[in-house]
Amino acid sequence: MDIVIIAQYLNDISNITNNNSRFIYLAKILSQNKENKIEIITSDFNHLTKKYFKKIGKILNIKITALHESGYSKNVSLKRIISHKELSKNIKEYLNNRVKPDIVYCALPSLDVGYETAKYCKKNDIKFIVDIQDLWPEAFKMAFNIPILSDMFFYPMQKIANYIYASADKIVAVSDTYRDRGLKVNKKDTQGLTVFLGTDLNDLDKKLQYQDITYKKKKNEFWIGYLGTIGNSYDIETSLKAIAQVQKEICTIKFILLGDGPLLNKFKKMTVDLNVNAVFLGRKDYIEAMKILSQCDITLNPIVKNSKASIINKVGDYAALGLPVINSLQNEEYQELLEKYNAGINIPCKNYKAMADAIVFLIKNQKSRIDMGEANRRLAQDLFDRNCTYKKILQLIEEFNEI
């Protein structure tokens, strides 16, 4: 079976052995069947660092093809639109000159790449599976939320998204929220498949045992952790205000931020202005970051108002480490999971007093904090363990090929 996986955002493909990407993980498992021929098509541009990859790593029995795009410095910009169109054009050209595969498994976004891939599969009668990682243009509407004008401006993008979803023979998504969006316009797939991003818990646990702690917790410190992008989608401002409030009562807390992003300098300055005991550790290797994060007492999932996010990477990582989470994401799917497992505390969006109250509660109630952490690990074992959950995707691909 010749399978092409198209995934534009693979982060670090130069250090591919430590890359925790969903698509690299799937490719590795699929390649274990010697009858499969696996190729990953991606970009030569690193979306996180905004630089080109210096080298392309190698994985046994998997071909990795990195095609060119011009790149961009800001996530929401005209240059990004142009860059995506260039990449989609190059992918189209590459596919047209390649032996026709049996199945194309395409990550969404970007829509330009998805659109050209959908047209290619339709024209050549190739089985087409989409994996919805984020909703476009819904995510962009959040940044430019101008009544009527936003709908008009993003209508062409909405039309393209609908075409891709409708063209898919099978729909996979990282949440029920995203799955249902795709199924809304698709007449081929009646059920779809939700598989959370997650991680391989056995592999993670083993690697954490051998990973040195590169930033150690001091005695009597109470750590509040955040892992992810320091950008517009995440409400770091409310987090800083909440921690500043708590520090008036409890001075032993420290805010640990692991990640980088366009608003890093803004929030560093705010940290100084609010006199918050915080440390920005930047972007780390996945296992190194998780080892540091594992020392935290609680974690934050602070998301801005009107976000279209659902079951995102960080909540799976928090669960894998067995850490309680204070969540401001107003997504019913994730809120219900937290409540069902009693794995954290849901709070209103952009409400630093509510966040401060939740932090104080977990500091003062050790048993509740420990119980929630253990419950979050059970959530990870049930729903975020790739070793179990990704078998559903593999089964879908195998059964689909036999049709």
Side-chain angles (χ1 to χ4, degrees), residues 196-226:
F196 298 146
L197 287 165
T199 194
D200 187 320
L201 294 183
N202 287 334
D203 184 61
L204 175 66
D205 292 344
K206 288 176 184 177
K207 287 180 177 177
L208 287 175
Q209 287 180 2
Y210 296 102
Q211 173 66 46
D212 292 331
I213 300 175
T214 56
Y215 187 83
K216 293 185 178 181
K217 186 179 185 180
K218 294 178 181 177
K219 189 177 180 181
N220 298 325
E221 283 184 338
F222 187 96
W223 276 16
I224 301 167
Y226 171 84

Side-chain angles (χ1 to χ4, degrees), residues 224 240-254 273-277 352-353 356 359-360 363-364:
I224 301 167
L240 291 171
K241 289 179 179 178
I243 292 170
Q245 178 78 15
V246 176
Q247 280 182 177
K248 295 175 183 178
E249 181 181 353
I250 304 167
C251 63
T252 57
I253 64 173
K254 179 181 279 189
D273 294 341
L274 293 173
N275 195 30
V276 172
N277 184 17
Y352 77 89
K353 291 183 178 179
I359 292 171
V360 170
I363 291 174
K364 292 184 175 181

Side-chain angles (χ1 to χ4, degrees), residues 284-330:
K284 304 285 186 184
D285 173 85
Y286 178 68
I287 299 299
E288 180 185 359
M290 290 289 277
K291 187 72 173 186
I292 296 170
L293 192 70
S294 68
Q295 302 173 92
C296 291
D297 298 282
I298 61 177
T299 55
L300 300 182
N301 185 39
I303 309 294
V304 297
K305 192 175 181 180
N306 298 323
S307 172
K308 296 300 179 182
S310 57
I311 314 295
I312 54 181
N313 267 316
K314 63 171 59 58
V315 301
D317 292 332
Y318 296 164
L321 293 174
L323 298 171
V325 58
I326 297 172
N327 170 60
S328 67
L329 171 62
Q330 304 301 295

